[in-house]
């Protein structure tokens, strides 16, 4: 009986404070969008520029302390400029035609093609894209003061404050483990309620990242030139010949792995590291393809960017043998050969033919696309 009275009191209090109660996920997101932007104002946002400070820690050690400049031109253009100690270190482009990371190492550039991604105006628009999979539960009865959306397909969770419908937390699966993302310090900026602090943590990886928005401008004029990508000095390009390389063989230190030693084979050059989740996730696919085509002239060269050779040895003993050619560049991204191969992020993969001509790069040399490419090369040639 006491429990029933508490529930009645809660609902009475709640009913006095709220007039619009969401009955499903669609209504909750609609209320949050309305509340955070005055009607359909989010739909009228055509551009934004943001300055933020980002701090990233792993195992309590700071691995990044940078300033980010972000430029958005909706529906499909985004550019991130990353500055460390006042110096531009990389630019990330998402455009309808190309998605690319360019890293800057003095006068050298590294290029990495990256997957396409939708450009969202707010996290709510991103959540809205999975609306058909979301189930709403009111956790007020559990004395948690949140509405919760659960993604029935991916298991992602989203918490909204029950007083103002702001998104305050989401839990999503990443390649490195489950990530918790907190949204705090909402402020009214040109009619849009925007969180000025966003923090992310992945307990499995002992990873913590915090973004503090220093400045944001809405619907300002951004020239299209901001999103133009200059690849004129790029070396790793389709149809071009591979630059010369010479890696010390991990298992046979007296041997070198070079363009010449690999001539006549179709080669997958895979830059990776033991700390790179997406790299490790791709290894089973490479293993299957290696078994399938190694006797037809397919070779794999895995080049680790780990600083410690022991980490690679432990990985090969306990996780995957990597039963092909291996090398290590302990200077990582700063190694001259990493720079020559335009390695700006991991994984970086390059597929080249028996004559040394580049035939696939990055996303075109992974997963199903790599399998299809090798099938067309070896199955067609054997018919």
């Amino acid at each position: 009986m006491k429990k029933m009275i508490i529930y009645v009191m809660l609902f009475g209090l709640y009913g006095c404070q709220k007039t619009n109660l969401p009955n499903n996920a669609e209504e909750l997101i609609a209320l949050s969008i309305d509340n955070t932007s005055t009607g359909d104002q989010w739909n009228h946002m055509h551009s934004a520029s943001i300055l933020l400070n980002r701090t990233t820690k792993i195992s309590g050690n700071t691995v990044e302390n940078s300033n980010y400049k972000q430029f958005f031109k909706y529906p499909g253009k985004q550019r991130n400029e990353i500055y460390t100690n006042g110096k531009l270190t990389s630019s990330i482009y998402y455009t309808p035609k190309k998605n690319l990371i360019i890293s800057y190492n003095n006068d050298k550039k590294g290029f990495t093609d990256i997957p396409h991604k939708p450009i969202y105006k707010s996290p709510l628009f991103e959540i809205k894209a999975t609306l058909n999979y979301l189930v709403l539960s009111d956790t007020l009865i559990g004395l948690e003061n949140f509405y919760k959306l659960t993604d029935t397909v991916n298991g992602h969770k989203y918490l909204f404050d029950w007083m103002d419908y702001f998104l305050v937390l989401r839990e999503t699966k990443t390649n490195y483990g489950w990530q918790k993302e907190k949204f705090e310090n909402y402020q009214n900026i040109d009619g849009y309620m925007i969180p000025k602090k966003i923090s992310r943590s992945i307990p499995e990886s002992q990873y913590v990242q915090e973004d503090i928005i220093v400045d944001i401008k809405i619907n300002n004029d951004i020239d299209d030139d901001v999103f133009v990508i200059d690849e004129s000095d790029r070396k790793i390009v389709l149809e071009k010949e591979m630059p010369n390389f010479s890696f010390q063989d991990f298992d046979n230190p007296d041997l070198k792995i070079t363009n010449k030693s690999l001539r006549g084979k179709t080669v997958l050059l895979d830059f990776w590291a033991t700390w790179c989740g997406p790299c490790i996730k791709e290894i089973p696919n490479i293993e299957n393809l290696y078994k399938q085509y190694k006797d037809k002239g397919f070779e794999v060269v895995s080049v680790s960017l780990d600083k410690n050779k022991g980490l690679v040895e432990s990985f090969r003993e306990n996780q995957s043998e990597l039963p092909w050619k291996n090398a290590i560049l302990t200077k990582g991204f700063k190694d001259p050969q990493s720079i020559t191969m335009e390695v700006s992020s991991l994984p970086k993969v390059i597929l080249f033919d028996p004559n040394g001509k580049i035939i696939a790069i990055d996303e075109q040399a992974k997963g199903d696309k790599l399998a299809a490419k090798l099938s067309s090369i070896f199955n067609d040639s054997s018919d």
Side-chain angles (χ1 to χ4, degrees):
M1 185 67 181
K2 288 182 178 178
K3 198 171 186 179
M4 179 65 73
I5 292 172
I6 291 173
Y7 284 175
V8 170
M9 289 176 64
L10 284 170
F11 276 116
L13 176 63
Y14 189 57
C16 292
Q17 292 180 331
K18 306 291 285 185
T19 56
N20 297 316
L21 301 179
N23 296 305
N24 51 49
E26 186 172 10
E27 288 185 9
L28 174 60
I29 292 176
L31 284 169
S32 186
I33 289 175
D34 289 346
N35 188 68
T36 59
S37 61
T38 312
D40 64 350
Q41 197 169 8
W42 283 105
N43 295 324
H44 297 153
M45 181 187 287
H46 58 73
S47 67
S49 58
I50 302 171
L51 175 62
L52 63 87
N53 296 332
R54 173 169 294 177
T55 302
T56 304
K57 295 183 179 181
I58 299 177
S59 301
N61 299 314
T62 300
V63 297
E64 179 187 23
N65 198 341
S66 303
N67 305 116
Y68 274 60
K69 290 182 180 178
Q70 299 180 321
F71 304 91
F72 299 85
K73 202 164 187 178
Y74 303 106
K77 296 178 181 178
Q78 178 181 344
R79 176 179 176 179
N80 296 349
E81 293 181 350
I82 305 170
Y83 294 81
T84 305
N85 297 323
K87 186 175 182 179
L88 180 64
T89 53
S90 64
S91 298
I92 305 174
Y93 295 85
Y94 297 95
T95 73
K97 293 183 178 180
K98 190 82 172 179
N99 304 291
L100 186 72
I101 299 174
I102 302 178
S103 64
Y104 306 94
N105 192 334
N106 296 323
D107 60 338
K108 305 291 186 181
K109 289 183 182 179
F111 298 83
T112 299
D113 295 308
I114 52 179
H116 171 76
K117 74 165 189 174
I119 307 300
Y120 294 107
K121 300 179 182 182
S122 77
L124 295 169
F125 276 68
E126 184 176 351
I127 297 171
K128 198 173 182 180
T130 59
L131 194 57
N132 292 335
Y133 310 129
L134 297 176
V135 174
L136 170 68
S137 60
D138 181 353
T139 61
L140 175 63
I141 293 178
L143 303 179
E144 296 181 23
N145 294 345
F146 295 111
Y147 283 108
K148 180 168 70 174
L149 295 183
T150 302
D151 184 329
T152 57
V153 172
N154 301 302
H156 301 165
K157 295 181 177 65
Y158 309 90
L159 295 184
F160 291 77
D161 188 282
W162 73 282
M163 287 295 292
D164 51 28
Y165 306 117
F166 289 157
L167 175 67
V168 294
L169 176 72
R170 65 175 169 183
E171 296 183 10
T172 54
K173 183 70 172 177
T174 74
N175 289 320
Y176 299 95
W178 279 93
Q179 174 177 272
K180 291 186 176 182
E181 193 169 12
K182 294 182 180 179
F183 302 87
E184 305 174 77
N185 300 345
Y186 276 88
Q187 294 183 22
N188 188 319
I189 300 172
D190 295 336
Y192 300 85
M193 294 302 294
I194 293 175
K196 297 292 289 291
K197 178 181 177 181
I198 302 173
S199 55
R200 305 171 190 88
S201 62
I202 304 177
E204 294 175 49
S205 305
Q206 296 185 309
Y207 169 94
V208 178
Q209 185 180 81
E210 182 179 89
D211 289 350
I212 303 293
I213 294 179
V214 178
D215 185 45
I216 181 169
K217 293 181 173 60
I218 306 297
N219 290 340
N220 54 323
D221 292 330
I222 300 177
D223 197 296
D224 271 337
D225 287 346
V226 170
F227 306 98
V228 173
I229 304 173
D230 180 11
E231 297 182 81
S232 59
D233 53 354
R234 191 169 185 176
K235 301 183 187 70
I236 305 298
V237 180
L238 289 177
E239 302 299 320
K240 278 194 173 184
E241 188 172 341
M242 278 290 293
N244 290 329
F245 58 82
S246 179
F247 305 122
Q248 185 180 58
D249 191 300
F250 193 93
D251 300 302
N252 300 284
D254 294 333
L255 299 180
K256 295 289 185 180
I257 304 170
T258 67
N259 305 58
K260 185 177 180 180
S261 69
L262 295 168
R263 188 69 67 174
K265 292 181 177 289
T266 298
V267 180
L268 181 73
L269 186 57
D270 176 30
F271 292 90
W272 73 292
T274 58
W275 46 261
C276 172
C279 302
I280 294 169
K281 186 178 180 180
E282 180 68 10
I283 288 174
N285 180 57
I286 299 174
E287 288 176 330
N288 291 335
L289 294 171
Y290 181 70
K291 291 176 184 176
Q292 188 174 354
Y293 297 116
K294 65 178 181 178
D295 294 331
K296 294 185 177 183
F298 178 51
E299 183 62 89
V300 177
V301 179
S302 288
V303 182
S304 167
L305 266 61
D306 284 281
K307 295 182 179 180
N308 186 338
K309 186 177 180 179
L311 295 174
V312 178
E313 291 173 336
S314 176
F315 181 90
R316 295 179 70 191
E317 288 175 5
N318 300 304
Q319 292 184 251
S320 173
E321 183 183 351
L322 305 182
W324 42 71
K325 295 184 182 299
N326 285 269
I328 186 169
L329 301 176
T330 55
K331 292 182 180 179
F333 295 108
K334 294 183 179 180
D335 189 283
Q337 295 201 85
S338 296
I339 296 170
T340 297
M341 297 296 164
E342 299 175 349
V343 183
S344 59
S345 66
L346 297 179
K348 173 74 178 183
V349 284
I350 308 167
L351 184 70
F352 55 94
D353 72 9
N355 296 313
K357 184 175 71 174
I358 298 170
I359 55 177
I361 307 167
D362 297 326
E363 293 307 306
Q364 301 302 315
K366 297 179 188 176
D368 292 341
K369 292 182 179 179
L370 175 61
K373 190 74 175 177
L374 294 178
S375 176
S376 69
I377 292 170
F378 294 111
N379 292 339
D380 289 348
S381 63
S382 62
D383 291 341

